[in-house]
Amino acid sequence: MTELPSWPVSTSRERELLDQVLASPQWGGFHPIVADFENAFAAYQGCRYGVGAVNGTVTLEMMLAAAGIGPGDEVIVPAISFISTASAVSRVGATPVFVDIEPYSFNMDPAQVRQAIAPATKAILAVHFGGPLADMDALSALAAAHGLLLLEDAAHAHGAEWRGKRAGSFGLASSFSFQNGKVMTAGEGGIVLTSDEAFAERLRSYRNQGRRPGYSFFHHFELGNNYRLSALHAAVLTAQLERLDEQIENRMRNWPVFAAELAGLTGITWQHVPEAVNRNPWYLLLGRVDERVGISRDTFCQRLQAAGVPATPFYPHTLQQNPMYTGGLAHRALPCPRAEACIGDAFWLPFRLLMGDEGQTREIARTVARAVAG
């Protein structure tokens, strides 16, 4: 098999920017490169303000806290996501309400969201799973009709678009991750985006130990924490952002090549990408295995791994089936049969499979087909 493209990727540009920071007296969050990166990424996603922080878990918590969400409030979240989507809600003292997903988009089902709305509901937290956005037409309408905040967990959706509008720009605020496996990374890091100036100020105070502009370093007005993004991370992320468009466009060119090579492989249904998603970063290559393949999902993944293709079986349980929620942590859940079915038959492949040229992508896909055939 051809060699897989590597990730993370760096060039001399990261080193150049890091050297600039290292030569300065300020390596922490107060270096100008942090604000420059925040502004650049916010503009890239169609927002006015960006507030960086140490990781994408913290940015979810910051976003919820700055929105005034806390004890007595409920936040509707999908049953399929990484734990941070739910745990951030719990950490601010609110109650996550789990709803089912659509069967092949892997994103929250707006019909279930509508059913889950109750007097205590404060917000809808939409997750753009794998890269394609959730149904932002329906979710925006629901939020507006019921007076709810619309928030976005866009950890997978850098550069993604719904009808030409970038992920992260639909509601009050959004959270992005720059963890090591994301399509742009500094190893760790995160950011909250918003176009609401007052909300951005609350975010900055919260991540900077409750400080406010114009006061001394030792005046603290809110109960915050030190979640600041360092200048070293911002330097790397600046270089990563500069080449993000080129990388996304390459993956978008390569996906049809990959899919065409596997078109004859019956029993694999790839993630449904709605027509409204006109730009997909292909963070994950998601699929579901059915009986026509002739092998189980786990055997399917084992064969790919043995062939050198990193294949991950889906999450081992839905969010509400995590021990901390089954153990008594406050939550509410609607029936989620589709999410539970995915636990047994879904898988994902990493975006780096699409980061080579056309020939390399074609050979990787043929390796996948050979491995599945046994």
Side-chain angles (χ1 to χ4, degrees), residues 128-212:
H128 307 315
F129 198 80
L133 279 73
D135 187 339
M136 299 311 291
D137 292 345
L139 295 177
S140 296
L142 280 171
H146 295 274
L148 304 176
L149 297 176
L150 178 60
L151 305 171
E152 296 175 68
D153 181 345
H156 296 182
H158 312 66
E161 292 181 2
W162 178 276
R163 303 192 195 283
K165 187 175 172 64
R166 289 276 164 95
S169 65
F170 286 84
L172 172 63
S174 56
S175 170
F176 288 79
S177 170
F178 304 120
Q179 174 266 347
N180 201 71
K182 299 302 186 290
V183 297
M184 55 177 288
T185 182
E188 297 289 356
I191 195 169
V192 181
L193 304 184
T194 184
S195 290
D196 185 308
E197 184 175 10
F199 187 76
E201 287 302 317
R202 290 197 297 275
L203 287 165
R204 293 190 186 105
S205 181
Y206 188 83
R207 67 98 187 259
N208 192 26
Q209 296 169 317
R211 297 184 179 93
R212 291 181 184 173

Side-chain angles (χ1 to χ4, degrees), residues 89-101:
V89 176
S90 298
R91 283 190 59 80
V92 299
T95 300
V97 178
F98 300 103
V99 299
D100 209 358
I101 60 171

Side-chain angles (χ1 to χ4, degrees), residues 29 40 52 74 108 289 299 337-338:
E74 291 186 345
M108 64 197 314
V289 176
T299 300
R338 295 191 290 267

Side-chain angles (χ1 to χ4, degrees), residues 98-348:
F98 300 103
V99 299
D100 209 358
I101 60 171
E102 297 168 331
Y104 291 102
S105 78
F106 297 90
N107 280 319
M108 64 197 314
D109 181 353
Q112 276 253 317
V113 173
R114 183 183 299 108
Q115 292 177 33
I117 295 171
T121 306
K122 185 73 173 286
I124 299 168
L125 180 51
V127 176
H128 307 315
F129 198 80
L133 279 73
D135 187 339
M136 299 311 291
D137 292 345
L139 295 177
S140 296
L142 280 171
H146 295 274
L148 304 176
L149 297 176
L150 178 60
L151 305 171
E152 296 175 68
D153 181 345
H156 296 182
H158 312 66
E161 292 181 2
W162 178 276
R163 303 192 195 283
K165 187 175 172 64
R166 289 276 164 95
S169 65
F170 286 84
L172 172 63
S174 56
S175 170
F176 288 79
S177 170
F178 304 120
Q179 174 266 347
N180 201 71
K182 299 302 186 290
V183 297
M184 55 177 288
T185 182
E188 297 289 356
I191 195 169
V192 181
L193 304 184
T194 184
S195 290
D196 185 308
E197 184 175 10
F199 187 76
E201 287 302 317
R202 290 197 297 275
L203 287 165
R204 293 190 186 105
S205 181
Y206 188 83
R207 67 98 187 259
N208 192 26
Q209 296 169 317
R211 297 184 179 93
R212 291 181 184 173
Y215 293 87
S216 85
F217 196 76
F218 301 106
H219 279 75
H220 308 273
F221 296 87
E222 289 87 28
L223 182 61
N225 212 323
N226 178 5
Y227 291 142
R228 295 187 300 270
L229 183 73
S230 80
L232 299 168
H233 287 84
V236 173
L237 289 168
T238 297
Q240 295 274 305
L241 180 58
E242 289 172 354
R243 69 176 75 95
L244 181 60
D245 275 339
E246 179 184 350
Q247 292 173 336
I248 290 175
E249 289 162 9
N250 187 51
R251 290 195 295 274
M252 289 180 68
R253 285 192 301 269
N254 281 335
W255 168 253
V257 174
F258 185 88
E261 287 292 331
L262 296 172
L265 188 62
T266 58
I268 306 297
T269 303
W270 296 102
Q271 182 179 28
H272 170 64
V273 180
E275 289 186 7
V277 176
N278 58 286
R279 195 167 192 254
N280 182 2
W282 289 106
Y283 170 62
L284 295 176
L285 284 60
L286 286 153
R288 297 183 67 177
V289 176
D290 66 43
E291 66 278 358
R292 292 174 296 164
V293 178
I295 54 175
S296 69
R297 185 275 315 274
D298 289 348
T299 300
F300 171 87
C301 289
Q302 289 163 8
R303 286 187 181 179
L304 264 60
Q305 291 162 3
V309 178
T312 302
F314 213 60
Y315 295 119
H317 42 238
T318 63
L319 283 178
Q320 66 268 34
Q321 292 169 335
N322 268 281
M324 68 181 182
Y325 291 114
T326 60
L329 189 61
H331 69 285
R332 185 161 66 87
L334 273 64
C336 297
R338 295 191 290 267
E340 291 170 3
C342 287
I343 299 306
D345 64 22
F347 67 94
W348 66 67

